[in-house]
Amino acid sequence: AIAKEFDDCYNRITGTEVALVTSVVPLESQHLAQIAKSVQRLTKAKNVRIKTTLDSSLVAGFTIRYGASGSKFIDMSVKKQLAEIAKQLDFSDIVLAS
């Protein structure tokens, strides 16, 4: 708890935004740098620190969580895109032959 509080204070003092990037496979450093620049542009933070985690359920792509207590969320995953397509397709009136 003390280490987390110190980390939070340090981030406030230095103007650092922490972003959690979740992907299916480890992202290369140039991709993480691009994500950091985008988060910096969105938040107007002086610095951005990226933390990474893996989640195979995303299928492909990545998500970014940032802001106070992770309140901001950007979903660039294939899982989200598939869910949106499924919502648009309404097959409720189709009867499958037995």
Side-chain angles (χ1 to χ4, degrees), residues 2 7 10 12 16 46 48 54 63 67 74 82-83 91 93 98:
I2 293 171
D7 203 34
Y10 175 81
R12 275 194 303 276
T16 300
K46 291 180 186 175
V48 174
L54 300 178
T63 64
I74 300 171
L82 291 172
F91 293 122
D93 57 344
S98 304

Side-chain angles (χ1 to χ4, degrees), residues 28-89:
E28 296 188 20
S29 59
Q30 68 262 27
H31 295 131
L32 293 172
Q34 289 175 333
I35 291 169
K37 284 181 185 178
S38 296
V39 171
Q40 187 173 28
R41 194 172 47 251
L42 288 169
T43 63
K44 312 259 189 288
K46 291 180 186 175
N47 307 297
V48 174
R49 191 171 76 203
I50 299 289
K51 293 183 178 182
T52 60
T53 186
L54 300 178
D55 180 358
S56 61
S57 75
L58 296 178
V59 182
F62 59 91
T63 64
I64 306 168
R65 186 169 294 279
Y66 65 98
S69 300
S71 60
K72 306 287 187 202
F73 186 68
I74 300 171
D75 192 339
M76 303 295 292
S77 68
V78 171
K79 179 180 180 179
K80 176 191 172 212
Q81 294 170 6
L82 291 172
E84 288 175 357
I85 291 169
K87 266 196 282 187
Q88 292 175 7
L89 300 173

